[in-house]
Amino acid sequence: MKNNNTVKRENKNEHSTKKTLVETSTNGVKKEKLVAGTGEWASQNANFINGCAHDCKYCYAKSMAVRFKRKTVDSWKIEEVNSARLQTKLKKKDGYTMFPSSHDISPENLSYSLEFMKRLLENGHHILVVTKPHLSVIESICESFDCYKDKILFRFTIGSSDSETLNFWEPYAPSFEERLASLKHAHLLGFHTSVSCEPALDINTLKLVNILLPYVTDAIWIGLPNRLKGILKVNGATDFATSVRAEELIAGQSLEWVKDLYGKLKRNPRVKWKDSIKKIVNIERSTRKGLDA
């Protein structure tokens, strides 16, 4: 039997609003779009690959590719380099350019990724490098771009401190231990470091934050799985075990859990909240992209 808060939380997962929301307008004032998704972090995104080797079950990019027939459920994990995008000279904007946003940096595409990043950095971009980090990849990036430390902010996606949990939801991505080692390596070498705990993949987020904070110079961002069951369905993750784990995750991340977590961490200046949590705890949301705030 689900309690009311679990039902409300599930509805937020299944019917959450689009990535860009619209603010209510009064007195004839033009409506302003509220920032969400990657817009909270960066003024623009950069990608050159269709597909992702990590093949995460909850992946929004995969669901969009499947819906619009750019990929199939099975072919998503096959990375296809878009040569035209790889060579494109992206216009510089204020704030961060997020790379990547719809795929990841894998050992297999590393050489292409280094080439792509080099072009961005030489053109003056500040890059927000968002990845489920392979240690060998992070070592190569740090070695290749040591002289660009002031223009790179790593944001490692780590949704749980439990490798079994990560492996269930992100079957071909690195373990927690490898991600933590990657974070420590970048931090030790003096790079700017941050973490995305979006989606949080269990209810042990406070423990995760405490483990990661010593190696974070910027912030840990926390967010909930959005439209989880709907995306799982599109992505073909409809097996019984996944359905059970999804129900358990939604139930565990109740409104009370969110508010309790927020209460314990809200005074920490290195913890920030994604739009999925801002809406619950009534944090004002920006209408300007790329503030990373």
Side-chain angles (χ1 to χ4, degrees), residues 118 121-122 125 144-152 191:
K118 184 173 185 288
L121 291 166
E122 289 178 343
H125 289 259
S144 299
F145 301 121
D146 181 73
C147 60
Y148 286 106
K149 284 179 182 175
D150 61 325
K151 292 189 175 183
I152 294 174
F191 282 83

Side-chain angles (χ1 to χ4, degrees), residues 220-236:
I220 297 176
W221 284 80
I222 302 173
L224 304 174
N226 285 311
R227 302 182 294 279
L228 180 59
K229 290 195 289 186
I231 289 176
L232 291 175
K233 183 177 180 180
V234 174
N235 288 351

Side-chain angles (χ1 to χ4, degrees), residues 119-184:
R119 186 174 294 108
L120 290 175
L121 291 166
E122 289 178 343
N123 197 36
H125 289 259
H126 285 75
I127 306 179
L128 179 65
V129 181
V130 181
T131 179
K132 297 177 177 74
H134 296 262
L135 181 57
S136 62
V137 166
I138 301 309
E139 289 173 340
S140 294
I141 293 175
C142 291
E143 181 179 356
S144 299
F145 301 121
D146 181 73
C147 60
Y148 286 106
K149 284 179 182 175
D150 61 325
K151 292 189 175 183
I152 294 174
L153 171 58
F154 285 111
R155 184 151 296 160
F156 297 140
T157 301
I158 310 176
S160 172
S161 60
D162 179 63
S163 286
E164 187 280 328
T165 297
L166 295 178
N167 184 64
F168 182 85
W169 293 107
E170 305 162 351
Y172 303 107
S175 66
F176 171 73
E177 289 76 16
E178 184 170 2
R179 299 188 208 195
L180 180 59
S182 300
L183 177 64
K184 289 180 177 180

Side-chain angles (χ1 to χ4, degrees), residues 7 23 48 75 82 95 98-99 108 120 142 203 221 234 238 245 259 265 272 274 292:
V7 173
E23 225 174 66
F48 68 89
S75 69
N82 185 317
M98 178 175 166
F99 168 73
E108 291 72 26
L120 290 175
C142 291
I203 60 172
W221 284 80
V234 174
T238 55
R245 292 281 285 259
K259 291 175 181 179
L265 293 173
K272 296 182 180 181
K274 290 290 289 175
D292 206 37

Side-chain angles (χ1 to χ4, degrees), residues 179-224:
R179 299 188 208 195
L180 180 59
S182 300
L183 177 64
K184 289 180 177 180
H185 180 79
H187 181 267
L188 179 65
L189 293 183
F191 282 83
H192 302 299
T193 56
S194 61
V195 169
S196 170
C197 181
E198 186 197 32
L201 294 173
D202 56 31
I203 60 172
N204 301 315
T205 306
L206 183 61
K207 173 187 174 182
L208 176 66
V209 168
N210 289 332
I211 293 171
L212 301 178
L213 270 177
Y215 313 105
V216 169
T217 65
D218 181 74
I220 297 176
W221 284 80
I222 302 173
L224 304 174

Side-chain angles (χ1 to χ4, degrees), residues 7-43:
V7 173
K8 290 178 182 177
R9 174 69 192 92
E10 179 173 326
N11 287 340
K12 285 181 178 292
N13 269 339
E14 293 303 291
H15 305 291
S16 60
T17 49
K18 294 180 179 180
K19 278 197 168 186
T20 303
L21 306 179
V22 178
E23 225 174 66
T24 302
S25 177
T26 58
N27 301 323
V29 177
K30 187 177 179 181
K31 293 181 180 180
E32 293 184 291
K33 292 181 178 180
L34 296 174
V35 173
T38 62
E40 291 181 278
W41 292 347
S43 55

